[in-house]
Amino acid sequence: MSHDFKTGDIYVKLSLLFLSIGFFRRHQIIKGILFSIIQIGFILFMIFTGIPNLSRYNTLGTIQFESVYNPITRRNEVNNYDHSFKILLYGLISIIVIIVYVYIHLKNIHTQRKLQWCEAEGQHINTFKEDLIQLKDDRFHITLLTLPVSGIVFFTIIPLLFMILVAFTNYDQLHMPPTKLFSWVGFRNFEILLTTGSNTVTFGYAFRKVLTWTLTWAFFATFLNYIGGIILALLINSKYTKWPKLWRTIFVITIAVPQFVSLLLVRHFFADQGIMNTLLSSNIPFLSDYTWIDWIRQLGLIGANREFVPFLTDPVWSKVMLILINCWIGFPYVMLITTGVLMNIPKDLYESAEIDGANKFQLFAKITMPYMLFVTAPYLITNFVHNLNNFNVIYLLTSTRVTSNQLLANANASDTDLLVTWLFKLTQDYYNYKMASVIGIMMFLLSAIFTLLAFNYTIKSNKEDRFQ
């Protein structure tokens, strides 16, 4: 850009101050008007929004909300207070607008230098209509990507950056705009979450417990579903299974039922006073006065004074039940995916192996499973990340559960919370946005690191030629 500026004529140099001057000089009137509108719009935005908010960005506001009753007007009058939330959001948008405007400015200098060169060489300079035709033909990729990229910036990148910024503030229930101000606190929220000092013991303790359960849950929820789905697919596709289409249809129907409906029904089934406990309270056949619950109690699986099985209320029982219920929900999906893969494994591979004397287990271990793993590796990775953030199963089954662990309760968490459900509670029930933002960043890092490592390992394995 500096070369373009140094070698450009006076109009190229003036374009540093006036975006459109070069366009007007080269008779590109409509482009000149559009760039003038952009520049005027930027100036007005900075005067009315950018500068007022950026000037208070270091403090996020200093004037507290005050409402004073005016006996003359007989009305409550509010002072001209600072709104920390708006300052943070509008300041962030202003920074992004400045970056985009600077990019347009630098790009414009290069464009002006190119126009100068075309004019000097006697080459044709496009009219506005010709530029539009180019956007439809030669540069159609730009036209096509403009709307999706804008959507990603507005609906993904800006909220993500805003969440990251909130993690460095004290934005919580005690600092709730507009009546209260919040301010920057640096890395203090991260320190609270990651350390176990006397003042931060509850959040540090809760984070370790919830993170451990999140990873455990994601591992079992992913791999049990995967293995169970494969076994189910193998059974249904076995030549000894009768009516395979009927069995496949039955499992597909279970997918058609909305997941939240199934989960809410299951929650009632396994409630302390639910159907399952009612059935377990009945006598065991041929053993009068001896119920299934008595038998479970004698095995030491529930307390001596328990009259029911705490499927969803005991920390250990509820974790086991969550994994099993998730398997029941997830098997049909994996079964369908793996059925498609099984049908595409070349039959000659099995025939060649059988001629060489391979038994059934060797066929499965050396052909079916490696093929399956190669094709479904991306699904496994994305499913693991999905389970790290699996909100529905945990929240719908155990949201009403109250923990007896006081340290977890102090941090507004429970024994069965994943990071995502803990984050939801902190924002929706306790308005602790600062800690929720820190947890959100941790979830993002966890998902990103695992995904990068897993995909990198999958690509490095370089087995495409072997399975094609």
Side-chain angles (χ1 to χ4, degrees):
M1 295 300 170
S2 61
H3 175 75
D4 291 330
F5 184 78
K6 289 176 183 173
T7 57
D9 60 10
I10 184 65
Y11 296 100
V12 174
K13 290 181 170 60
L14 283 175
S15 66
L16 191 64
L17 297 175
F18 306 102
L19 275 176
S20 55
I21 192 166
F23 293 118
F24 287 123
R25 167 67 180 80
R26 271 90 191 183
H27 307 293
Q28 291 186 309
I29 306 302
I30 297 178
K31 284 184 77 173
I33 292 172
L34 290 175
F35 274 72
S36 296
I37 292 172
I38 290 174
Q39 187 163 21
I40 293 170
F42 174 75
I43 293 170
L44 292 176
F45 174 81
M46 289 305 297
I47 290 173
F48 293 107
T49 303
I51 294 173
N53 287 291
L54 288 175
S55 63
R56 292 173 289 175
Y57 218 56
N58 61 331
T59 60
L60 297 178
T62 54
I63 303 174
Q64 190 81 30
F65 175 93
E66 288 181 1
S67 178
V68 180
Y69 180 73
N70 188 335
I72 299 174
T73 61
R74 297 182 179 179
R75 298 176 62 182
N76 286 326
E77 294 183 352
V78 178
N79 64 332
N80 188 21
Y81 62 94
D82 288 334
H83 196 298
S84 298
F85 187 93
K86 289 182 179 178
I87 293 172
L88 186 65
L89 178 61
Y90 293 156
L92 172 64
I93 293 173
S94 301
I95 292 171
I96 293 173
V97 168
I98 290 171
I99 292 171
V100 172
Y101 183 76
V102 169
Y103 174 78
I104 292 173
H105 227 96
L106 295 176
K107 195 74 178 174
N108 183 54
I109 292 173
H110 178 71
T111 304
Q112 298 302 331
R113 179 69 182 89
K114 189 177 175 182
L115 289 174
Q116 180 199 342
W117 180 83
C118 288
E119 189 181 48
E121 294 294 320
Q123 293 193 10
H124 175 68
I125 296 176
N126 283 352
T127 62
F128 184 70
K129 185 178 178 182
E130 289 169 336
D131 283 336
L132 288 179
I133 292 173
Q134 272 196 345
L135 286 174
K136 194 181 71 174
D137 298 329
D138 300 339
R139 306 174 73 185
F140 185 64
H141 60 286
I142 296 177
T143 309
L144 204 63
L145 288 174
T146 299
L147 190 60
V149 169
S150 302
I152 290 172
V153 170
F154 282 106
F155 299 113
T156 303
I157 294 179
I158 290 180
L160 188 64
L161 292 174
F162 185 78
M163 182 200 74
I164 293 172
L165 292 176
V166 168
F168 296 92
T169 69
N170 59 353
Y171 184 18
D172 58 17
Q173 199 167 13
L174 299 176
H175 304 85
M176 187 70 70
T179 55
K180 300 289 182 183
L181 297 170
F182 62 81
S183 59
W184 300 107
V185 295
F187 288 92
R188 197 169 72 196
N189 297 328
F190 291 87
E191 185 183 350
I192 290 172
L193 193 73
L194 298 175
T195 59
T196 56
S198 57
N199 295 327
T200 62
V201 63
T202 54
F203 264 100
Y205 172 82
F207 180 66
R208 287 202 314 278
K209 294 278 286 186
V210 175
L211 178 62
T212 304
W213 164 235
T214 301
L215 294 173
T216 307
W217 153 265
F219 177 82
F220 284 107
T222 302
F223 291 100
L224 285 182
N225 270 356
Y226 187 68
I227 294 168
I230 289 175
I231 294 172
L232 194 60
L234 288 171
L235 289 173
I236 290 177
N237 288 284
S238 170
K239 59 183 179 182
Y240 301 109
T241 301
K242 292 183 179 180
W243 313 306
K245 290 183 180 178
L246 172 67
W247 297 114
R248 206 173 291 135
T249 304
I250 290 173
F251 283 106
V252 169
I253 289 173
T254 63
I255 298 175
V257 179
Q259 195 183 72
F260 78 93
V261 175
S262 304
L263 291 172
L264 290 177
L265 282 173
V266 170
R267 187 174 77 179
H268 290 295
F269 286 166
F270 291 98
D272 291 346
Q273 307 303 323
I275 295 172
M276 189 54 66
N277 271 310
T278 303
L279 293 174
L280 292 174
S281 300
S282 60
N283 292 334
I284 298 176
F286 310 112
L287 294 174
S288 59
D289 299 332
Y290 194 76
T291 65
W292 292 100
I293 289 183
D294 294 331
W295 179 64
I296 294 172
R297 191 183 298 115
Q298 283 195 357
L299 290 176
L301 298 177
I302 60 175
N305 299 322
R306 290 275 191 182
E307 296 299 330
F308 56 86
V309 180
F311 290 110
L312 298 175
T313 51
D314 178 79
V316 178
W317 272 95
S318 56
K319 287 178 180 177
V320 174
M321 288 304 299
L322 285 170
I323 291 172
L324 293 178
I325 292 169
N326 186 66
C327 288
W328 170 66
I329 293 171
F331 277 1
Y333 290 97
V334 183
M335 182 270 295
L336 284 179
I337 293 171
T338 51
T339 296
V341 179
L342 284 172
M343 289 179 174
N344 284 289
I345 298 178
K347 300 297 180 190
D348 53 352
L349 287 176
Y350 291 107
E351 292 169 0
S352 302
E354 285 174 345
I355 292 171
D356 291 339
N359 57 32
K360 295 292 183 187
F361 178 76
Q362 288 172 323
L363 290 177
F364 176 77
K366 298 294 183 182
I367 297 176
T368 306
M369 204 59 206
Y371 198 95
M372 194 81 73
L373 279 173
F374 172 74
V375 176
T376 58
Y379 166 79
L380 264 179
I381 296 167
T382 52
N383 197 36
F384 184 84
V385 174
H386 165 74
N387 281 320
L388 286 175
N389 302 298
N390 194 333
F391 180 84
N392 286 353
V393 175
I394 305 295
Y395 188 78
L396 292 175
L397 290 177
T398 62
S399 61
T400 56
R401 183 180 176 277
V402 178
T403 181
S404 58
N405 187 327
Q406 193 58 45
L407 290 176
L408 282 176
N410 288 344
N412 310 126
S414 72
D415 304 279
T416 53
D417 267 334
L418 302 182
L419 288 174
V420 66
T421 54
W422 188 22
L423 182 153
F424 180 80
K425 285 182 186 175
L426 287 173
T427 53
Q428 294 299 311
D429 299 338
Y430 302 100
Y431 308 107
N432 195 343
Y433 299 108
K434 58 178 186 181
M435 296 310 298
S437 297
V438 177
I439 293 170
I441 292 172
M442 292 299 170
M443 289 169 56
F444 172 76
L445 291 175
L446 186 66
S447 302
I449 291 171
F450 172 79
T451 305
L452 287 173
L453 289 176
F455 272 113
N456 190 44
Y457 174 77
T458 306
I459 294 169
K460 272 187 176 179
S461 59
N462 195 25
K463 296 178 180 176
E464 290 186 20
D465 295 337
R466 183 179 167 187
F467 291 99
Q468 283 180 346

